[in-house]
Amino acid sequence: MAIAERGYTHWKGTLGTGRTPWRVIAGQAVRLAWKRKFFKPILFVSLFPALIFSGGIYVSERLGDFKEMLKGAEKFLQINPAYFQAYYGSSFLLFMMLVIMVGAGAGLISDDLRHNALPLYFSRPLRKRDYIGGKFASLAFFLLILTLAPGALFLLLKIIFSGGFKLLADYPWLPFSFVGWSVFVSSFFSLYALLMSSLGRNRRYASILILAVYFLSTVFFGIFFGIFHEPAFCLISIEMNLRQLSAAWLGAKPQFDVPWIYSFLILSAIMLAAVLFLRKKIRGAEVIR
């Protein structure tokens, strides 16, 4: 009886990649963050300021009805770039964005390093930029909910309640300003969280780093500013740099008399350093073609 030998034939196909392979990584990261304990309540609490500012826009168009209740608040309820800056430059919003980065971003890369999952990722036709881009997009998705969506809502409510486009006529650059700032601040926090997540194999260690670096920079600013009373010390604080730049970006008056370009350069340098470090850190296995 003849014995047939089983062998393998060479595959002559073409190994291709999808146009947006990062979407799979981003979608999975978003779903995992959404299932995480306490993440939904944190995101809901983060939207409280947007609800309050939306109500303020309605009240600003009905000041006559709330005259007795809002004595002294008329100045704040003037809808202009300073009103948008009061939202985007608030310490609470920046803090909640940081907390969301802890919940959604601390383990994005550290967990993959811990479980040696990178070879599994790159055994597929996946590039470094797709891997980093997917992780980045998942974080930017949540941050844009807190930045871009409220800005668009504020503008729409102002147009509806006022019955006209006076705000756009007075400040035609305002939509581009809050859109640009939303993209910038979301990109900064996303890269910042990914950088901290890539520094170790422990999610808790990454969470501590995300919080510690941010708050320690503000603590050092407070110490030096309290001693020397020099506004330039605001440049050592991540929070102060973000607030300075958001004011300049939105056409409002910055808190400190320091050129906004310095804050822009510092934050941009952190983002560039994060990208370079991530590219060096993520060493994927070569896909054999």
Side-chain angles (χ1 to χ4, degrees):
M1 182 176 180
I3 299 177
E5 180 182 354
R6 173 175 290 184
Y8 295 93
T9 58
H10 182 70
W11 179 65
K12 296 182 179 180
T14 301
L15 183 62
T17 59
R19 293 184 178 181
T20 55
W22 57 268
R23 292 176 58 184
V24 178
I25 299 176
Q28 181 65 13
V30 169
R31 286 190 290 270
L32 289 176
W34 193 249
K35 294 178 181 178
R36 194 159 290 125
K37 190 176 181 181
F38 300 125
F39 185 80
K40 293 179 184 178
I42 289 173
L43 185 61
F44 181 74
V45 170
S46 301
L47 293 172
F48 275 180
L51 297 177
I52 295 173
F53 275 75
S54 298
I57 294 175
Y58 171 78
V59 173
S60 70
E61 298 297 327
R62 303 289 187 273
L63 285 177
D65 300 334
F66 301 93
K67 186 175 181 180
E68 296 298 326
M69 298 173 56
L70 299 173
K71 288 183 178 180
E74 294 84 356
K75 184 178 180 180
F76 172 75
L77 291 174
Q78 294 178 6
I79 311 304
N80 52 30
Y83 189 84
F84 281 74
Q85 162 59 13
Y87 174 77
Y88 283 108
S90 67
S91 296
F92 179 80
L93 177 63
L94 296 175
F95 171 73
M96 294 310 300
M97 293 173 73
L98 193 72
V99 172
I100 287 177
M101 290 300 93
V102 171
L108 280 183
I109 297 180
S110 60
D111 286 347
D112 290 343
L113 295 174
R114 180 183 179 184
H115 299 292
N116 295 319
L118 291 182
L120 295 177
Y121 277 104
F122 294 106
S123 63
R124 277 78 173 170
L126 187 72
R127 296 163 293 188
K128 285 184 182 180
R129 64 184 182 185
D130 296 321
Y131 174 83
I132 298 174
K135 303 289 187 178
F136 172 88
S138 66
L139 298 179
F141 169 77
F142 292 114
L143 294 178
L144 288 174
I145 292 177
L146 301 182
T147 54
L148 182 59
L153 178 63
F154 297 161
L155 185 61
L156 180 62
L157 290 178
K158 178 61 178 178
I159 293 173
I160 293 175
F161 293 146
S162 65
F165 296 88
K166 187 176 184 304
L167 180 64
L168 290 177
D170 293 339
Y171 311 103
W173 42 264
L174 185 58
F176 303 99
S177 294
F178 75 72
V179 169
W181 173 246
S182 298
V183 173
F184 181 86
V185 71
S186 298
S187 299
F188 172 80
F189 273 116
S190 298
L191 289 173
Y192 171 75
L194 290 178
L195 173 62
M196 299 304 167
S197 180
S198 66
L199 293 178
R201 296 172 177 265
N202 189 296
R203 173 190 291 269
R204 293 182 180 178
Y205 174 72
S207 301
I208 293 173
L209 276 179
I210 292 173
L211 295 171
V213 173
Y214 182 87
F215 286 113
L216 284 177
S217 67
T218 302
V219 170
F220 285 133
F221 154 70
I223 293 173
F224 289 125
F225 183 74
I227 296 174
F228 300 102
H229 303 285
E230 175 57 52
F233 282 112
C234 72
L235 298 176
I236 67 176
S237 169
I238 295 177
E239 178 185 345
M240 292 300 108
N241 278 302
L242 289 170
R243 295 178 65 180
Q244 285 285 108
L245 189 56
S246 66
W249 209 304
L250 293 166
K253 184 179 179 180
Q255 183 177 354
F256 298 99
D257 188 18
V258 178
W260 64 268
I261 191 64
Y262 295 149
S263 295
F264 175 76
L265 291 175
I266 290 172
L267 296 175
S268 298
I270 295 175
M271 294 168 66
L272 178 60
V275 172
L276 295 177
F277 184 84
L278 287 170
R279 288 181 61 85
K280 185 178 180 180
K281 183 75 173 182
I282 308 302
R283 293 188 176 93
E286 182 182 1
V287 179
I288 300 176
R289 289 174 169 82

